[in-house]
Amino acid sequence: MNVIGKVTVLPQLPDSIARLSELAYNLYWSWTPHAQALYQELDYGIWERFQHNPVRTLLEVPQSRLKEVAADPEYLKRYAQVMADFDAYMGKKDTWAARNVPDMKPVAYFSMEYAYHESLPIYSGGLGVLAGDHCKSASDLGIPFTAVGMLFHQGYFTQLFDKDGWQNETYDELDLTTLPITPALTQSGEEARVSVVIGNRTVHSRIWNLNVGRIRVLLLDTNVPQNSPEDRKLTARLYGGNQELRVQQYVLLGVAGIRALRLLGIPGDVYHMNEGHAALLGLERTREYVEAGLDFRTAVETVASSTLFTTHTPVPAGNDAFAYDLMDRYIGSWPAQLAASRDDLYALAEHEQMWDGHPVPTFSMTVFALNMSRAANGVSELHGEVSRDMWKFLYPGAETEEVPIGHVTNGAHNLTFTSQAMRDLLGTVLPADWTERLEDEAMWQAVENLTDAQLSGVQLVMKRDMITFVRGRMREQKVRNGASAADVAATDTLLSENALTIGFARRFATYKRATLLFRDRERLSRIVNHPDRPVQFVFAGKAHPADNPGKAFIQEIYKVSQEPEFRGKIVILENYDMHVARHLVQGVDIWLNNPRRPLEASGTSGMKASFNGSPNFSVLDGWWREGYDTTNGWPIGEEREYADLNVQDDADAYSLYHILENDIVPRYYGQDTGDASWAHTVRRAIETCSPRFSMQRQVIDYVQKYYVPIAARGAQLAASDSARAREIASWKGWVRQQWPYTTLSAQATLPATSQPGQTVPVTATVNPAGINLTELRVEAVLNRAGQLTHVPLTSRGDGTFSADVPLNESGLYSVGVRMLPVVDGLSNDLEARLIKWA
């Protein structure tokens, strides 16, 4: 037919269940299975067909069915309980934040992607899940928090395998009227719109409102009539297109995102950039201060003082950097708006890289984010170390461990990924308020009271549910690809509930080594086909549309799964999303992760499996390096790096096979009791990982380590028309101008050998080149086996400094002397990024 328009007819809900519509527009239901069940019971087929979307389900269910459940006493009883729980959650005053940080300042959180639920597919993988979970726990904890992102009309992509196992991508346009979002309204009741100049065009954005429990998310959408067809596509796809599109999306997220907050009157005292995609929010915030009368450098100091940057990418290639001429096309007007030169602005993002064999200055989003913030962190302890080493060139003269990039180890939102069956079981031994105390390690010791039979019973229920799901998905795939009747029928026998089942699901980047398991096919066949102790594997994951090597990994696994000795025992599912993820982390016995160390920044899927009692079997990288305690899972390989990647792969594959055959399989199938039993490992996985890697713990860490201190420092620098920021900016300018003319010489009287506790005299002479001596820190730096000790030298007031430096421990020491400029109000001693060694 020739469509001239569309209209959405909203359901008329009977009074007794009228609030189903209200609940559908708050993603509280996404981590509340009892709430989801209310919609699923309306019509299971509709619920499944439309990705478990309550809004769409209500639209599609016949009015007669709504009237039927509205008269069902059992349904009404469940409905009343869910709504009572929802009201209690939304109305709770005694939250963690109210008790612990009652005066906490509001946080504005920016991320390119968010994974809240499969029905809102504006995410690609781990980064989005992390951001979505962060929002959910911000709501749970009651902190003042607003998130800003983009509404991608075609999402990431739908992944379909062809008959040869090759990944194909399809893009489906979302029907916004059926999503749990509403237009954001201004105070005057009008739909909120903002605009931003990108290149030589004015791009308009509609703002959508998404409720996630107690917090609000703003989503930008350029698919509006005022824009050109090209600009309407700026929010079409996540991570699609070329570099030009990405730059434009980053301008939109950062600049239009800030303007959306301002238009809606939403305050922000702390600005949290989740990855470098959001870095350009610094442009708009700086422009605001310049427009208010500040000079460029003072405005930058003011903005940076209240900004936090989280980096997730441990490999240089994963950090976006763009040619200057490309940036000129899209932010060419910004230097003038900031009362700055192009050189001044681009210097904040400069990262010289080798392109086509030549050193080229590039505009790095990560460097810009680091320069436009005064606090930065990686997402695990090891990733913090890797990040400090990656970006130490920004701090010439500093040792790697001194680089001011900390870490907050990622977590996962327990209630989103823990099955209802497991939650019910945990509720029998944990206190009534356990879901509000997820980070409380002592509380989780009560898991020891769960019996072996209780645990195995619940895990068998979850495993059966997963196997049913896998068989259904594989049947759909076979039918779509025209498989024979016999092959379609064979999906009914995929996997066995009695076999040890191992899951592997994640983004198919090559460094995650999805095919490491197949390095020795003959050995793997013996493991899989053991007559008494079989092992089976379930894989899932997407490769980026442009990542052909990643797609080749998928195809290799698919082809192996079709070989006679592996058929039915190795399975790879298509279209990995949150729905698939929940089934796998809840249903497998073991979670496998084998990235090439140390390239896994964090990885969170294994946390979610542990919440459900599935121990990890993983490389000691990312979070598992901190999580593994010898009782709650198993390591793969050694805690080291390799010069030869093939040697590393061989070593890790050998370790994987050996531990699987000699430790995991015997324990799973064994009859031992106590600490040697499988149930003991299951308990330890739940007990140790649930609190330490809960998203509540992660967000609390951000509040205590970053949000509260940043808010205080930001207020201090912005007070009195940014007086302190102006002083610091002026001081930095003066010091940087004079620094090349300073000199430092030093002497140390070092004996050939010494005894612990003895001291050695160290003296230094400084030519300060006009810099106040009180603003120079001169210190001896002792390096003993990689551990640094800093001993300040005392100024005598005439340019000489001295100290008796203690040698407290035995060992070989290297001794150096350096000076660096410091002044009150800096975020860290290296903020000026000036160090001179004698």
Side-chain angles (χ1 to χ4, degrees), residues 583-640:
H583 277 287
L584 296 191
V585 299
Q586 293 170 9
V588 300
D589 298 307
I590 288 281
W591 195 260
L592 175 66
N593 188 23
N594 45 240
R596 181 171 284 117
R597 189 181 189 276
L599 301 182
E600 183 79 283
S602 179
T604 59
S605 55
M607 303 173 185
K608 301 157 192 170
S610 291
F611 298 165
N612 289 283
S614 301
N616 268 261
F617 179 32
S618 302
V619 168
L620 292 171
D621 196 7
W623 80 278
W624 189 234
R625 178 180 181 246
E626 301 166 53
Y628 172 62
D629 73 353
T630 75
T631 70
N632 58 358
W634 294 268
I636 295 173
E638 299 177 327
E639 204 171 347
R640 54 167 286 196

Side-chain angles (χ1 to χ4, degrees), residues 741-745 765-771 773 776 799 819:
Y741 307 108
T742 62
T743 61
L744 171 69
S745 59
T765 302
V766 170
N767 169 19
I771 301 173
L773 286 174
L776 291 174
M819 71 175 178

Side-chain angles (χ1 to χ4, degrees), residues 72-333:
D72 180 348
E74 285 301 315
Y75 185 92
L76 291 177
K77 181 179 178 181
R78 293 191 296 274
Y79 167 82
Q81 184 59 59
V82 168
M83 296 313 303
D85 292 344
F86 177 56
D87 289 340
Y89 178 88
M90 294 299 291
K92 185 177 177 62
K93 303 298 182 186
D94 185 30
T95 62
W96 177 89
R99 294 191 306 272
N100 293 277
V101 281
D103 300 321
M104 183 177 166
K105 302 300 182 183
V107 176
Y109 181 91
F110 283 65
S111 182
M112 195 70 169
E113 56 173 300
Y114 293 91
Y116 298 113
H117 188 260
E118 60 268 18
S119 62
L120 189 63
I122 56 173
Y123 63 93
S124 70
L127 179 70
V129 176
L130 187 281
D133 283 5
H134 195 116
C135 293
K136 292 174 182 177
S137 283
S139 168
D140 294 339
L141 294 167
I143 70 173
F145 188 93
T146 304
V148 179
M150 312 258 273
L151 182 62
F152 295 101
H153 287 248
Q154 297 176 7
Y156 190 40
F157 65 87
T158 299
Q159 177 198 51
L160 299 174
F161 296 159
D162 64 20
K163 60 183 177 59
D164 297 316
W166 187 257
Q167 170 182 298
N168 292 281
E169 300 87 30
T170 64
Y171 295 88
D172 302 313
E173 193 77 19
L174 300 176
D175 186 342
L176 303 191
T177 64
T178 67
L179 297 179
I181 58 176
T182 55
L185 303 178
T186 64
Q187 290 185 340
S188 61
E190 298 175 337
E191 285 196 8
R193 304 287 178 99
V194 293
S195 62
V196 58
V197 174
I198 301 179
N200 57 4
R201 302 121 45 215
T202 298
V203 178
H204 303 272
S205 295
R206 174 196 288 126
I207 306 168
W208 293 93
N209 187 77
L210 174 67
N211 294 318
V212 179
R214 304 178 181 116
I215 73 151
R216 184 177 184 183
V217 183
L218 306 181
L219 298 174
L220 301 166
D221 169 21
T222 65
N223 189 20
V224 296
Q226 298 97 314
N227 288 332
S228 68
E230 290 73 22
D231 288 339
R232 295 183 75 158
K233 295 176 183 176
L234 286 178
T235 53
R237 297 180 183 178
L238 172 64
Y239 304 142
N242 54 23
Q243 283 202 318
E244 297 216 15
L245 176 63
R246 290 181 77 125
V247 170
Q248 295 174 79
Q249 289 180 330
Y250 297 169
V251 174
L252 186 70
L253 175 62
V255 178
I258 292 292
R259 292 179 183 176
L261 292 172
R262 302 295 185 258
L263 176 65
L264 297 171
I266 298 173
D269 285 49
V270 175
Y271 293 80
H272 186 172
M273 301 182 291
N274 189 45
E275 216 13 300
H277 313 130
L280 297 184
L281 70 83
L283 290 178
E284 176 64 6
R285 292 191 63 215
T286 302
R287 185 199 63 78
E288 291 176 328
Y289 281 112
V290 169
E291 189 176 76
L294 297 187
D295 64 274
F296 172 67
R297 297 195 182 280
T298 301
V300 167
E301 289 297 334
T302 307
V303 167
S305 68
S306 57
T307 305
L308 168 66
F309 169 56
T310 297
T311 176
H312 294 261
T313 312
V315 290
N319 292 269
D320 282 322
F322 304 99
Y324 280 3
D325 60 348
L326 175 60
M327 297 305 296
D328 287 343
R329 286 203 289 278
Y330 297 111
I331 66 168
S333 66

Side-chain angles (χ1 to χ4, degrees), residues 172 229 249 400 492 644:
D172 302 313
Q249 289 180 330
T400 297
D492 292 336
D644 187 316

Side-chain angles (χ1 to χ4, degrees), residues 96-97 101 104 107 109 130-145 215 272 308 408-413 439 691-708:
W96 177 89
V101 281
M104 183 177 166
V107 176
Y109 181 91
L130 187 281
D133 283 5
H134 195 116
C135 293
K136 292 174 182 177
S137 283
S139 168
D140 294 339
L141 294 167
I143 70 173
F145 188 93
I215 73 151
H272 186 172
L308 168 66
V408 172
T409 299
N410 281 347
H413 190 252
E439 77 286 356
R692 291 183 59 196
F693 301 101
S694 69
M695 181 56 69
Q696 276 187 210
R697 187 275 310 153
Q698 180 201 300
V699 175
I700 289 172
D701 280 355
Y702 273 109
V703 170
Q704 295 175 338
K705 293 177 67 173
Y706 292 110
Y707 293 164
V708 170

Side-chain angles (χ1 to χ4, degrees), residues 336-399:
Q337 295 182 65
L338 303 179
S341 69
R342 175 182 181 270
D343 288 348
D344 285 340
L345 177 59
Y346 284 26
L348 293 171
E350 183 177 347
H351 184 188
E352 189 172 274
Q353 302 194 57
M354 294 299 293
W355 283 4
D356 296 326
H358 304 286
V360 176
T362 67
F363 191 106
S364 164
M365 289 297 168
T366 301
V367 172
F368 191 64
L370 287 167
N371 279 316
M372 294 302 292
S373 58
R374 291 293 176 262
N377 70 281
V379 292
S380 69
E381 183 179 54
L382 180 57
H383 180 236
E385 295 174 13
V386 171
S387 297
R388 287 189 287 276
D389 189 58
M390 277 182 65
W391 303 109
K392 67 181 178 182
F393 70 87
L394 296 173
Y395 301 85
E399 299 296 324

